[in-house]
Amino acid sequence: MMGGVKTDLWGRTSLAGLYAAGETAATGVHGANRLASNSLLEGLVFGARAGQAMIEDAPVVKRSGAALPGSPAPLPGNSSAADKEPPKATTKPSPACATLTKIRDVMWKEVGILRSGKELADAIEQLESPELHKSEKAGRESHELRNLHALALLIARSGLAREESRGSHYRSDFPYRNDEDFGKHSVAQKGKDVTFEA
């Protein structure tokens, strides 16, 4: 994800529990400059700072590794034979898997490298229609699916609002840059239209 998520100097965003660093973040340290050396420096410095902030911000019960789901990654050379076996295929994909496949297909076909207003509007309509898989027990898979769904909608809505071509965003129906109206950051907030601010 290329830059734009506003953060403080500790990688915190306006969403509690969401942190950003490196290419994803808009720290203001290097302005809009996305040279590789700058983004590497930002990733290193602000990645460490965001990690520190996460530890400080985490509830006390979640500050130890024991409270985290899953198990630690094995050290090199210490994996057992059981870990090396490929996972067994299930006969029927889960509803969450089907929804994830749908999101991927929509993003690939409608919100790809070449975009148009019609395709982006179609993508938004399709992404708003699927019912997300609701499991009885909320787990990592369902949270990740909801996050991917929200991000897909955010990308499609932001792409539709930006009626120009700039950087990696190319609209076939608006093939030229429009600095007067869109030489600004996109601002996306829940429940509001995408706006543009300098």
Side-chain angles (χ1 to χ4, degrees):
M1 182 74 188
M2 285 184 281
V5 179
K6 288 184 182 179
T7 67
D8 66 9
L9 292 177
W10 291 93
R12 292 180 185 97
T13 68
S14 60
L15 245 91
L18 180 66
Y19 301 80
E23 281 284 323
T24 302
T27 61
V29 173
H30 289 114
N33 188 343
R34 290 290 162 197
L35 294 174
S37 59
N38 291 351
S39 60
L40 289 173
L41 177 62
E42 285 194 35
L44 179 68
V45 172
F46 289 97
R49 290 176 69 92
Q52 288 174 329
M54 286 179 227
I55 291 169
E56 291 171 13
D57 296 348
V60 176
V61 72
K62 292 189 175 184
R63 288 188 184 170
S64 83
L68 299 173
S71 59
L75 295 172
N78 288 347
S79 59
S80 67
D83 292 336
K84 292 179 184 174
E85 288 182 23
K88 295 178 181 166
T90 56
T91 55
K92 183 180 174 190
S94 68
C97 184
T99 302
L100 178 59
T101 300
K102 173 72 174 170
I103 292 170
R104 285 178 177 162
D105 287 347
V106 167
M107 294 302 287
W108 179 256
K109 292 174 184 169
E110 311 291 347
V111 193
I113 295 169
L114 298 176
R115 308 166 174 185
S116 73
K118 181 188 178 317
E119 291 167 335
L120 291 164
D122 289 346
I124 293 166
E125 186 178 333
Q126 290 179 60
L127 290 167
E128 288 177 339
S129 68
E131 184 64 31
L132 291 179
H133 172 65
K134 292 184 172 63
S135 60
E136 294 172 14
K137 186 171 133 183
R140 179 178 174 169
E141 182 182 45
S142 64
H143 288 298
E144 286 179 353
L145 181 62
R146 284 193 179 102
N147 290 341
L148 287 169
H149 184 257
L151 181 60
L153 269 169
L154 179 64
I155 291 169
R157 287 181 180 148
S158 296
L160 184 62
R162 186 170 285 278
E163 295 180 337
E164 67 158 357
S165 291
R166 177 179 302 270
S168 64
H169 168 71
Y170 182 82
R171 290 272 304 259
S172 58
D173 49 346
F174 293 95
Y176 301 103
R177 278 175 52 159
N178 177 347
D179 289 338
E180 186 176 324
D181 295 329
F182 299 105
K184 307 167 187 171
H185 291 287
S186 304
V187 178
Q189 296 176 315
K190 187 175 183 178
K192 295 182 180 179
D193 289 338
V194 176
T195 59
F196 300 92
E197 293 179 5

